[in-house]
Amino acid sequence: MERTLEPELMLDPHQALAYASADFSTAHQAVIERFAAIFSAFNEGLVLDMGCGTADISIRFAKRFPRAKIIGVDGSPSMLSIGRKRIEEYHLSHSIQLFEGVIPTWSYPAPFDVLLSNSLLHHLPRLTLVWQAIKKYAKKGAFIFFVRSYSA
């Protein structure tokens, strides 16, 4: 199977705004509900949302799992700017923090209970980066949930 890569980062502010304006509500909520169904034992912990973009998945995750602490990382300042505004609008700053960085070179001081990623895989030039990220960020026994794309 041949992979078709999209640009690694959505740096253009107009492009980020267009992405943020699209309605992903059904698909993104389905991602959260699917995670909850597969990992029914999860209730709280430290969650890494890799390639968090405008933080829609992070926000939905925080609403579904209010005792979780979500760390979102993305390489696009434009996407993160929109995400930070959304987090403020939903009053979720106590649950979600966003950082600019690129997986797997970005660093964080603690291992994660959950590695979550929606639609990041088609931006990565090498899939070995996924395995490097899992090795680097996941706590032993962590829940790993990668979605290439999801339709409800």
Side-chain angles (χ1 to χ4, degrees):
M1 180 174 166
E2 201 169 314
R3 295 179 67 225
T4 303
L5 290 178
E6 291 187 20
E8 268 190 82
L9 301 174
M10 201 175 292
L11 297 172
D12 183 297
H14 294 90
Q15 188 181 26
L17 188 56
Y19 178 88
S21 299
D23 183 7
F24 296 110
S25 58
T26 301
H28 286 182
Q29 192 59 41
V31 167
I32 301 307
E33 296 311 319
R34 184 75 175 144
F35 175 91
I38 293 171
F39 301 114
S40 58
F42 180 79
N43 190 34
E44 64 183 307
L46 187 59
V47 177
L48 176 58
D49 183 359
M50 296 187 287
C52 66
T54 60
D56 190 55
I57 294 282
S58 296
I59 290 167
R60 291 173 188 281
F61 200 95
K63 288 179 173 182
R64 177 68 171 78
F65 300 101
R67 292 170 43 188
K69 177 173 174 58
I70 298 110
I71 303 297
V73 64
D74 200 282
S76 169
S78 299
M79 297 286 268
L80 291 170
S81 176
I82 294 167
R84 287 185 180 107
K85 288 176 188 166
R86 287 182 165 177
I87 290 165
E88 288 296 324
E89 288 171 12
Y90 285 100
H91 308 287
L92 289 170
S93 296
H94 62 284
S95 297
I96 306 169
Q97 286 184 295
L98 301 183
F99 294 91
E100 184 178 342
V102 177
I103 301 298
T105 58
W106 173 79
S107 293
Y108 194 77
F112 292 87
D113 299 295
V114 173
L115 298 186
L116 171 68
S117 179
N118 179 62
S119 299
L120 174 66
L121 298 177
H122 60 274
H123 292 282
L124 298 177
R126 295 179 321 281
L127 290 178
T128 55
L129 297 173
V130 172
W131 298 111
Q132 290 173 12
I134 290 170
K135 184 178 178 183
K136 181 175 182 175
Y137 303 120
K139 183 184 287 187
K140 184 177 180 173
F143 298 120
I144 312 293
F145 192 71
F146 283 78
V147 179
R148 184 174 146 248
S149 62
Y150 193 89
S151 301

